[in-house]
């Protein structure tokens, strides 16, 4: 979890890869569905394209259909509302919650530098600069700004984060599984903090995941 631009994507992918878990990002799934022009993709886009949240029923159904149940996953950008958090409890055992904390001004600066390759979904930014300007390293696609990264949509998304998503962190707090991570550091340093917490904290909260086995 974390406000827009706090580095969720980068940290979630690294965490999944290090701990042998599947990475699932609902935002990425929505963008992929939209690229493929599916009915769900077009419907969801009418919300996220305006800086709003996609309705809970649509989002929960999508997540449920893509989440591997037999092994662990790092879920990025979900749950974003209390009904989503309640629904997730019915689907899996939530073992750990990471909250990346960063000032809005820094998030805005990072988002101004964020680029995406729509064909292959690779993201670029201050922490990952493409070898050739505005071209994707993987597929040579043209890089663009995310259409929801405009100043007006960003402030709408921040407001939604505060009203809908911050209560979700409070929802998990009594379980003692929430780690507050200082995201105002270089990605490697943030990831060190993530690992420190996972290795010490999460293995107690959720012994099914043993990072030692992955090394
Ligand atoms: P993200 O890539 O996580 O920033 O997500 C991009 C956009 O997809 C968000 O601004 C939302 O409009 C939509 N979205 C992603 N995840 C969710 C979710 N869990 N609930 C509702 N909308 C979502």
């Amino acid at each position: 979890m974390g406000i827009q631009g706090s580095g969720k994507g980068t940290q979630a992918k690294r965490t999944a890869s290090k701990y042998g878990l599947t990475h699932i990002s609902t935002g990425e799934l929505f963008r992929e569905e939209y690229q493929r022009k599916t009915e769900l993709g077009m419907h969801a886009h009418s919300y996220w394209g305006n800086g709003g949240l996609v309705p809970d029923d649509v989002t929960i159904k999508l997540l449920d259909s893509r989440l591997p149940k037999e092994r662990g996953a790092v879920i990025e950008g979900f749950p974003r509302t209390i009904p989503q958090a309640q629904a997730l409890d019915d689907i899996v055992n939530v073992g750990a919650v990471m909250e990346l904390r960063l000032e809005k001004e820094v998030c805005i600066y990072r988002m101004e530098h964020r680029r995406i390759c729509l064909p292959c979904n690779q993201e670029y930014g201050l922490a990952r600069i493409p070898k050739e300007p505005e071209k994707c390293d993987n597929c040579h696609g043209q890089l663009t700004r995310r259409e929801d990264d405009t100043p007006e949509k960003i402030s709408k998304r921040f407001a939604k984060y505060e009203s809908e998503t911050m209560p979700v962190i409070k929802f998990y707090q009594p379980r003692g599984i929430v780690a507050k991570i200082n995201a105002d550091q270089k990605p490697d340093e943030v990831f060190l903090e993530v690992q420190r917490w996972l290795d010490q904290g999460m293995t107690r909260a959720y012994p099914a995941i043993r990072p030692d086995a992955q090394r």
Side-chain angles (χ1 to χ4, degrees), residues 167-186:
V168 177
I169 295 166
K170 288 214 178 83
F171 173 90
Y172 287 121
Q173 218 115 43
R175 301 185 192 185
I177 56 168
V178 180
K180 300 198 180 288
I181 309 276
N182 171 18
D184 196 4
Q185 311 177 73
K186 294 203 178 87

Side-chain angles (χ1 to χ4, degrees), residues 88-130:
L88 189 60
D89 276 342
D90 292 337
I91 305 172
V92 290
N93 171 24
V94 179
V97 177
M98 276 183 274
E99 183 199 3
L100 299 181
R101 294 166 71 90
L102 188 61
E103 291 300 322
K104 274 186 196 162
E105 292 67 29
V106 187
C107 292
I108 292 170
Y109 182 71
R110 287 187 184 178
M111 280 191 274
E112 278 167 1
H113 291 84
R114 183 151 80 174
R115 296 289 180 277
I116 187 164
C117 173
L118 289 175
C120 78
N121 245 324
Q122 178 65 53
E123 290 200 3
Y124 295 85
L126 294 169
R128 176 163 182 173
I129 296 165

